[in-house]
Amino acid sequence: MQVSVQEEGFEFGARAEAFAKVNNAMGAIVTFTGIVRDADQGGLVAMEIEHYPGMTLKALTEITQTAMDRWSLGDALVIHRYGRLAPGEQIMMVATASRHRKDAFEAAEYLMDYLKSRAPFWKKEILDGGTTEWVAAKDSDEDALDRW
């Protein structure tokens, strides 16, 4: 199990390939990468992501271990970035490995839902003209997490 909270970018292809290589006895590998998208109203210049290092790493490690146990995963990888990110940049990556695809897919979805709504990150959008807005939680994100 690997959990990383980092400022620097990552190379998705290399990370996915390395993850698959060390988990070649598993029957299923599922990967997902989140990308910074434009603001709902358009004009996003950047997104600033803040966190408390010890608290964030601990929370992500605990939820990843929960996924490992609940879905009988052979391995899991979670990377989440912080700092100033431009539209189109990778913000996070989840990878799961299991003997069966259902477990790998469900565990990956669970981790993505958790990262979207409960991970201790604070996101601020910086818009054209210097306007800033904190990203508020959405009911739809909470509803997605409630299914677990």
Side-chain angles (χ1 to χ4, degrees):
M1 182 176 92
Q2 306 163 58
V3 177
S4 178
V5 180
Q6 61 190 55
E7 189 168 13
E8 66 274 1
F10 58 91
E11 189 174 325
F12 172 77
R15 295 302 298 260
E17 185 175 339
F19 184 82
K21 190 172 189 175
V22 299
N23 289 291
N24 62 2
M26 298 285 107
I29 304 288
V30 171
T31 61
F32 174 83
T33 301
I35 307 295
V36 176
R37 66 173 179 255
D38 203 352
D40 290 341
Q41 68 277 19
L44 183 73
V45 173
M47 178 178 286
E48 287 187 1
I49 302 171
E50 299 177 6
H51 74 110
Y52 292 112
M55 179 176 78
T56 304
L57 184 59
K58 182 178 185 234
L60 270 57
T61 300
E62 287 173 358
I63 202 67
T64 304
Q65 187 61 58
T66 298
M68 293 278 297
D69 297 339
R70 185 171 173 183
W71 281 280
S72 301
L73 298 180
D75 201 0
L77 166 71
V78 173
I79 301 170
H80 202 295
R81 294 181 63 201
Y82 64 90
R84 187 179 176 108
L85 304 174
E89 285 191 69
Q90 296 170 337
I91 189 171
M92 55 81 71
M93 176 181 177
V94 167
T96 55
S98 180
R99 294 187 56 76
H100 305 284
R101 70 175 183 242
K102 183 178 183 206
D103 285 341
F105 272 108
E106 288 182 1
E109 282 189 275
Y110 171 76
L111 288 167
M112 292 179 296
D113 287 343
Y114 174 84
L115 290 169
K116 181 72 173 169
S117 62
R118 296 282 171 81
F121 292 100
W122 296 269
K123 299 173 183 175
K124 180 172 49 174
E125 294 177 333
I126 302 166
L127 305 171
D128 287 337
T131 306
T132 63
E133 294 181 17
W134 289 100
V135 177
K138 295 180 181 176
D139 290 338
S140 59
D141 293 334
E142 286 299 316
D143 291 344
L145 190 57
D146 284 346
R147 70 185 169 128
W148 304 112

